[in-house]
Amino acid sequence: MYKENNLSKNQQIIFDLIDKSSEPLKAYTILFSVQKKGIKAPPQVYRALDKLVETGKIHKIESKNAFVACRNSNCEISKATAFSICESCEMVDEINDAKLTKYLTNFSDKKGTKYKRFNLEFFGLCKKCK
Amino acid sequence: MYKENNLSKNQQIIFDLIDKSSEPLKAYTILFSVQKKGIKAPPQVYRALDKLVETGKIHKIESKNAFVACRNSNCEISKATAFSICESCEMVDEINDAKLTKYLTNFSDKKGTKYKRFNLEFFGLCKKCK
DNA sequence: TACATAGTGTTATATTATAACAATTTTGCA
DNA sequence: TGCAAAATTGTTATAATATAACACTATGTA
Ligand SMILES: [Zn+2]
Ligand SMILES: [Zn+2]
Ligand SMILES: [Zn+2]
Ligand SMILES: [Zn+2]
């Protein structure tokens, strides 16, 4: 079963839920939603989330402790993530901007250090809320 | 007492602790450290932290749930923050790069939306750990 | 003084996340 | 095919992070 799509049963259930959601989902919201499917305890949810984040299927919105499905081509396996977050309605959109990604991926600080990963969160008002 | 430096007693105690620290501090680490000074309960710590974040004296490192003192000129009151985070030793440095700030402050997405605030976290290895 | 705003102290509780252990399923490969 | 390693699952308990609610005190300004 695992081979077919490389997601395990719990991972698939939880990914489907996140993928269908129009807003970021929190771990315990997910837990309550999937209890009817037999996922009953927090570790089951967190383990699936960890794996999905690791493989770039989902991203964690750090400022919200919530998870969204990746809408890009897996963000070079999550080395370069950027989001816009509405401060009014909580909406989150993944930003897919090649120039921005390039700029930040190539960024080096004053000591000349380059970084191998970044996460960027923009805050403001979405179109609806403006 | 408040007027002298615009920080209240608890705010000053907690700011001093964070400011002197060479690494990000977590709320409960702070709580344990200041109990001898009479700050005994989580809400006292979180309220001070909230105010210090709000006024730009400290920043929250979202990926670590920890707090650092601002090392810039208060980051235009925390509208534009960027950090480098070592994945090995946990060290965090605030990035102060005018070009980067300008680039991101002026960034507008494909729909032309501009954002009023951002937080950027870079991950990699610091000089020591490389 | 008197009022509004900000800060404090306290108890309890909500929310987010992991440790630890036993069992089963899947996978890669001899 | 058959076996061991790796991944996944299930479960209980607990750790770590954060807020609600309420009573009270200090401060700034009119
Ligand atoms: Zn993505
Ligand atoms: Zn909105
Ligand atoms: Zn700063
Ligand atoms: Zn380091």
Side-chain angles (χ1 to χ4, degrees):
Chain A
M1 171 194 272
Y2 290 359
K3 216 174 189 178
E4 293 156 21
N5 56 9
N6 83 6
L7 289 186
S8 73
K9 176 172 138 284
N10 288 0
Q11 289 160 21
Q12 189 70 59
I13 290 168
I14 287 171
F15 175 74
D16 286 345
L17 187 70
I18 296 171
D19 192 41
K20 278 174 206 134
S21 174
S22 65
E23 55 183 19
L25 294 180
K26 289 173 165 259
Y28 276 72
T29 304
I30 292 168
L31 176 57
F32 297 138
S33 297
V34 297
Q35 285 190 325
K36 63 197 89 164
K37 298 209 164 139
I39 297 175
K40 289 175 183 158
Q44 296 176 286
V45 172
Y46 280 101
R47 283 190 295 224
L49 290 173
D50 287 349
K51 191 71 183 187
L52 291 166
V53 165
E54 196 184 308
T55 57
K57 296 291 223 172
I58 66 172
H59 302 300
K60 182 173 187 180
I61 307 301
E62 294 288 358
S63 61
K64 300 174 84 69
N65 297 318
F67 299 85
V68 296
C70 178
R71 300 300 184 204
N72 299 342
S73 315
N74 281 14
C75 301
E76 312 171 45
I77 311 166
S78 306
K79 295 283 176 284
T81 49
F83 304 93
S84 70
I85 302 171
C86 178
E87 286 176 319
S88 170
C89 73
E90 313 280 287
M91 190 221 54
V92 171
D93 257 357
E94 186 164 2
I95 294 172
N96 188 357
D97 186 300
K99 270 183 76 179
L100 176 66
T101 299
K102 191 173 177 185
Y103 183 89
L104 293 175
T105 299
N106 292 331
F107 176 81
S108 68
D109 66 21
K110 281 166 177 161
K111 296 164 193 151
T113 309
K114 282 200 176 190
Y115 299 95
K116 67 178 192 212
R117 182 165 72 83
F118 69 81
N119 180 54
L120 171 60
E121 299 184 357
F122 281 107
F123 301 87
L125 293 176
C126 75
K127 231 164 187 172
K128 272 191 195 166
C129 294
K130 220 164 8 193
Chain B
M1 169 194 274
Y2 291 0
K3 213 175 191 176
E4 295 156 21
N5 56 8
N6 82 5
L7 291 186
S8 74
K9 176 172 138 283
N10 289 359
Q11 288 160 20
Q12 189 69 60
I13 290 168
I14 287 172
F15 174 73
D16 287 344
L17 187 70
I18 296 170
D19 192 41
K20 279 174 203 137
S21 173
S22 63
E23 55 184 18
L25 294 181
K26 290 173 163 260
Y28 277 71
T29 304
I30 293 168
L31 176 56
F32 296 138
S33 297
V34 297
Q35 284 191 325
K36 64 197 88 167
K37 296 207 167 142
I39 297 176
K40 289 175 183 157
Q44 295 175 287
V45 172
Y46 281 101
R47 282 189 297 225
L49 289 173
D50 287 349
K51 192 70 184 188
L52 291 166
V53 166
E54 195 184 309
T55 56
K57 296 290 224 174
I58 66 173
H59 303 300
K60 183 174 187 180
I61 307 301
E62 294 287 358
S63 60
K64 300 173 85 67
N65 297 317
F67 300 85
V68 296
C70 178
R71 299 301 184 203
N72 300 342
S73 313
N74 282 16
C75 301
E76 312 168 48
I77 312 170
S78 308
K79 295 283 175 283
T81 48
F83 304 93
S84 69
I85 301 171
C86 178
E87 286 176 319
S88 168
C89 74
E90 314 280 288
M91 189 221 56
V92 171
D93 256 357
E94 187 163 2
I95 293 171
N96 189 356
D97 185 301
K99 271 183 77 180
L100 176 67
T101 299
K102 193 172 177 188
Y103 183 89
L104 292 175
T105 299
N106 291 332
F107 176 81
S108 69
D109 66 21
K110 281 164 178 164
K111 296 164 195 152
T113 309
K114 283 202 177 191
Y115 299 95
K116 66 177 193 215
R117 183 164 72 83
F118 69 81
N119 180 53
L120 171 58
E121 299 184 358
F122 281 108
F123 301 88
L125 293 177
C126 74
K127 232 166 187 172
K128 273 190 193 167
C129 294
K130 221 163 8 190

